[in-house]
Amino acid sequence: MKRRDFLALLGGAALATPNIASADTADRVYRLGTIQPVVPLTATDQLGKMLVDALAQRGYVLGKNLVLEARGARGDVEKLPALIDELKAGGAEVLVSFGYAATVAAKSAGIPTVVGWGVGDPVETHLIESLTHPGGNITGISDVAAELTTKRLQLLEEITPRLDKVAMLWNEQDLGMTLRYEASAKVARDTGITVQALGVRKSGDLDQAFAAMTADPPDAMLMVADALTISSSQRIFEFASSRRLPAIYEYDFLVRDGGLMSYGADVGESLVRAAAFVDRIFRGAKPADLPFERPVRYPLAVNLKAARKAGLDVPPTLLALADEVIE
């Protein structure tokens, strides 16, 4: 067993071990809402099932003492406040939010909220007062874009002969994602890499971004994930493949959907941690008193099918680093 696999197993065991569920979890019905800027995170999809299973380990069983209501804006973030109002009217006691836009809307609604992932730096965007003392009604998992970018650029260097210019694609209407882009761009520039800035505001803007990369080809691409870029991910995958452009993404589910490779926080771990926060809030804790946490595991996923389609050679050195390889 590789050392990193052992550490991941050890860390996973610690995260998966719940606090001993007391009898009071069976005394009433708990109501949880999930809010996504894309598709709803329901108990029947893979990620939703991870959250539900983690809650079950803490004594909250769907259909018995747990009700889950899921809402997703399907890329139209203007719908988020109305969707959260629906959850509030339905009696949701806690929300699990994903993405900056969804979390901002949840903050305005005043419902105790746990961030699963994707808000950028919550202090810099003024979602919270500090990581150790959030204040207000939000806690959860924080991002570390600058640190992760260093590793992402190193991984891109493994697959491309030269890395002088990187295209960075992000939603410039989303403050959280803009700050993630700016942190990533600074890291690249500090290491002597030119950044091709491709901010978009709507799906139609992707054509301009693609045209810019066609006219002035970068050596590689980094995509910042939010509702807009995730909902357009298949178009982005196809463009990168057609241009033989090495691309790296932030989350492993994007690689399973067809992206080349990803390096970022383990989504499964984040959901287990989110479940632990939900449990504590159900039991009476206030988000203001629960410090934001940072992920522990950062897996590298590589999609060899996407590499073959793009005509890219994945060196053995990169595969040796991978935690997940899709054949």
Side-chain angles (χ1 to χ4, degrees):
M1 178 180 288
K2 295 180 181 178
R3 181 175 180 272
R4 70 166 180 273
D5 294 335
F6 172 75
L7 291 175
L9 180 63
L10 183 63
L15 288 169
T17 302
N19 298 325
I20 297 174
S22 62
D24 63 2
T25 59
D27 291 343
R28 67 180 181 88
V29 174
Y30 298 82
R31 297 184 177 277
L32 177 68
T34 62
I35 182 69
Q36 279 240 87
V38 282
V39 295
L41 193 80
T42 68
T44 57
D45 63 44
Q46 182 183 17
L47 298 180
K49 187 176 185 302
M50 290 180 184
L51 177 63
V52 169
D53 287 348
L55 286 166
Q57 292 180 16
R58 290 170 169 78
Y60 306 95
V61 180
L62 198 63
K64 293 186 178 179
N65 65 340
L66 177 66
V67 173
L68 175 65
E69 291 289 341
R71 297 290 187 277
R74 301 188 182 278
D76 185 356
V77 296
E78 298 297 325
K79 294 180 178 178
L80 287 168
L83 294 173
I84 291 174
D85 285 345
E86 289 180 12
L87 292 170
K88 188 173 184 178
E93 302 165 72
V94 182
L95 296 182
V96 179
S97 68
F98 302 90
Y100 175 75
T103 306
V104 168
K107 179 179 180 178
S108 298
I111 307 173
T113 298
V114 174
V115 174
W117 63 72
V119 297
D121 184 333
V123 177
E124 195 168 355
T125 56
H126 305 294
L127 278 172
I128 60 174
E129 296 173 7
S130 73
L131 295 177
T132 53
H133 299 93
N137 62 306
I138 300 172
T139 188
I141 314 300
S142 65
D143 293 324
V144 282
E147 295 174 27
L148 295 178
T149 298
T150 299
K151 181 65 173 181
R152 288 171 183 144
L153 294 174
Q154 292 171 350
L155 293 168
L156 285 172
E157 287 176 333
E158 291 280 343
I159 203 171
T160 186
R162 55 184 295 175
L163 189 61
D164 295 328
K165 180 168 63 178
V166 173
M168 292 191 180
L169 182 65
W170 86 101
N171 178 1
E172 63 183 1
Q173 272 198 313
D174 187 314
L175 175 59
M177 301 311 99
T178 294
L179 291 173
R180 272 226 307 263
Y181 153 73
E182 290 175 350
S184 299
K186 183 179 186 305
V187 169
R189 292 179 181 125
D190 286 348
T191 58
I193 296 173
T194 299
V195 175
Q196 187 177 29
L198 300 171
V200 295
R201 291 175 172 268
K202 55 184 184 298
S203 60
D205 293 345
L206 285 173
D207 293 332
Q208 297 176 10
F210 296 158
M213 285 187 278
T214 300
D216 183 16
D219 301 311
M221 181 180 72
L222 186 156
M223 186 189 93
V224 180
D226 83 309
L228 174 58
T229 53
I230 290 174
S231 62
S232 303
S233 60
Q234 290 302 321
R235 290 180 62 195
I236 296 168
F237 299 157
E238 289 296 329
F239 174 81
S241 180
S242 69
R243 306 300 300 180
R244 300 188 63 185
L245 183 64
I248 193 163
Y249 305 91
E250 294 179 320
Y251 300 116
D252 50 12
F253 63 80
L254 289 166
V255 174
R256 297 188 196 104
D257 287 345
L260 177 64
M261 63 179 176
S262 67
Y263 180 77
D266 185 315
V267 170
E269 178 209 331
S270 294
L271 288 168
V272 170
R273 286 175 175 266
F277 277 120
V278 170
D279 173 44
R280 294 178 69 179
I281 295 170
F282 275 156
R283 295 177 185 276
K286 296 180 180 179
D289 300 327
L290 301 177
F292 262 69
E293 295 180 353
R294 290 175 58 170
V296 172
R297 296 195 297 271
Y298 298 90
L300 165 64
V302 178
N303 187 328
L304 288 179
K305 291 191 292 186
R308 287 192 293 269
K309 182 178 179 181
L312 296 170
D313 294 323
V314 179
T317 51
L318 182 60
L319 289 177
L321 296 171
D323 300 273
E324 179 179 0
V325 177
I326 298 170
E327 301 286 351

